[in-house]
Amino acid sequence: MKIAVVGAGYVGLVSAACFADFGHEVVCVDRDPRKLALLEEGRIPIYEMGLEPIVAANRKAGRLRFTSDLAGAVASVDVVLLAVGTPIRPGEDGADLSQLFAAAGEVAGALRDFTVIVTKSTVPPGTAARLRAFMAEARPGADFEVASNPEFMREGSAVEDFTQPDRVVVGVASARAENVLRQLYRPLTARNIPLLVTSCEAAEVIKYAANTFLATRIAFVNQLADLCEQTGADITDVTRGMGLDKRIGTAFLAPGPGFGGSCFPKDTRALAHAARQAGQPFSIVENVIAANEMRKNRLAERIAEATGGLAGRRIAILGIAFKADTDDIRDSAALTVIPALQSGGAVITAFDPVAMDNGRQAFQSVVWCDDAYRAAEGADAAVILTEWNVFRGLDLTRLARAMRQPVVVDFRNLFPPEDARAAGLTYHSVGRASVTAAERPVAAVLPFRSGQA
């Protein structure tokens, strides 16, 4: 099949590369000249494991190319995938669909033969119907269908998620569109991967519902960790006991600094907004959003308590990406923590294996270091915000010796407390008792308070 993908971001670029790897002929459209220049040089503008060799192989095979000419790209294809940004509107909670409708308008003007226009972007329920009416008005008589095909890719494992998904969801309004999408995904369904066909509205809600449910699990386990700190229970034992129940499982039950990234914060807010617009307020989701923001806002307070204040302190931040295996810092805990620590008078050093270029654009007056030990030299505390494997392998004794005060605030629970204590560290984690280098463990320094949700 011939496919045009509009947008070369995380969703668009991964989709384009993987569809080309399935044997389809793919052209990927983007208007960012810097991004296109990098792609033409064989360089990937995002950090995504396994993506670069797939792009290179399919460019060499002639199945994948890049262009800024949207009209030329969509004129003779079977499917157009719209993978442009749908961010939250500034000052609001609703999704900004301006890029989506702008792209759809251009596509409508360039259509020739029958084409299926597919939204890969995450959009509110009812968007496909609006797009259908908009494009029909822009190009009366054009032969097209609009479908919804939400993505379920995780940053850091997007290639694997695309090629080995749990399911493929397609929302359609006609058998003709369904047949095209079944052909598009034949390389997956031939391996018995489920393809769920629904209405466009159901497909749109499925994406929001899935991400919001996972975000709710994170907010739940974070507040459960608060309770553990207050009662003396160990969150590790508690979540293990929960996860052994087959109805619950272990996924998304690791406490931390709150959820971030390009999906969960945006999608929870957009779903809550859509529910309010429909006259059905979603109170659980509203409280999840509030609880997550509250958690991030209290991180700096906990660090200050662990170090005995912030003024004049040197704080090493280990990890600024919102999670491991990505360079994405959107809505990461670091965006809240670093400015708050600086406002309190702390000097910040930082290290992240792949996200420091993005960090240099986002933060001022941060000393960027080549590794975690350099960042910790002379520090009064080392704060772990991202669960990178390179941090799991740290030599804790070496870390303690490098610091002025051997204090670690670990918001990812990467180490057994007894190992940190044996290395000479005062160690504060989440949902577990804090320990000092002395033999006797002490109570948690400043437990998160449950508050809302």
Side-chain angles (χ1 to χ4, degrees), residues 41-295:
E41 294 170 6
R43 299 161 61 192
I44 305 300
I46 59 175
Y47 179 84
E48 189 60 50
M49 291 190 299
L51 181 59
E52 185 172 351
I54 294 178
V55 171
N58 286 280
R59 288 185 70 235
K60 184 177 180 180
R63 289 190 298 267
L64 177 62
R65 62 185 180 91
F66 301 97
T67 183
S68 61
D69 179 11
L70 188 148
V74 306
S76 58
V77 298
D78 304 298
V79 179
V80 176
L81 303 175
L82 300 179
V84 298
T86 53
I88 294 297
R89 291 191 296 267
E92 301 181 36
D93 285 334
D96 182 352
L97 302 181
S98 58
Q99 295 181 59
L100 184 72
F101 277 84
E106 288 192 57
V107 169
L111 293 178
R112 293 180 184 173
D113 301 321
F114 174 66
T115 310
V116 179
I117 314 301
V118 181
T119 56
K120 290 294 288 183
S121 307
T122 304
V123 296
T127 299
R130 290 177 56 198
L131 274 179
R132 191 178 299 112
F134 171 77
M135 294 181 67
E137 182 177 356
R139 183 74 184 281
D143 191 11
F144 71 93
E145 289 279 358
V146 174
S148 176
N149 176 215
E151 53 80 21
F152 298 96
M153 297 181 290
R154 298 163 296 170
E155 291 181 39
S157 57
V159 171
E160 179 183 356
D161 290 342
F162 192 99
T163 57
Q164 302 178 51
D166 296 327
R167 77 294 199 199
V168 175
V169 175
V170 296
V172 297
S174 73
R176 189 162 63 154
E178 178 182 340
N179 291 336
V180 170
L181 293 179
R182 285 190 180 277
Q183 184 178 351
L184 180 68
Y185 280 106
R186 192 176 305 279
L188 294 181
T189 57
R191 293 191 278 117
N192 296 318
I193 290 172
L195 187 145
L196 174 65
V197 180
T198 71
S199 68
C200 293
E201 292 79 9
E204 290 162 344
V205 173
I206 285 169
K207 175 58 188 288
Y208 277 134
N211 277 355
T212 299
F213 184 78
L214 296 175
T216 301
R217 284 177 67 109
I218 294 172
F220 173 86
V221 77
N222 281 340
Q223 294 202 333
L224 185 64
D226 300 348
L227 176 63
C228 288
E229 290 183 1
Q230 294 285 5
T231 61
D234 187 318
I235 187 64
T236 307
D237 295 333
V238 172
T239 54
R240 184 180 296 118
M242 292 172 59
L244 290 172
D245 187 326
K246 294 178 181 178
R247 298 169 300 172
I248 298 173
T250 59
F252 290 86
L253 283 183
F259 57 78
S262 62
C263 292
F264 286 4
K266 175 174 72 74
D267 292 353
T268 51
R269 291 172 61 188
L271 179 60
H273 177 81
R276 291 194 299 270
Q277 293 292 101
Q280 296 291 331
F282 212 145
S283 59
I284 292 175
V285 180
E286 302 276 8
N287 286 327
V288 165
I289 296 165
N292 195 59
E293 288 302 307
M294 181 168 55
R295 189 165 196 82

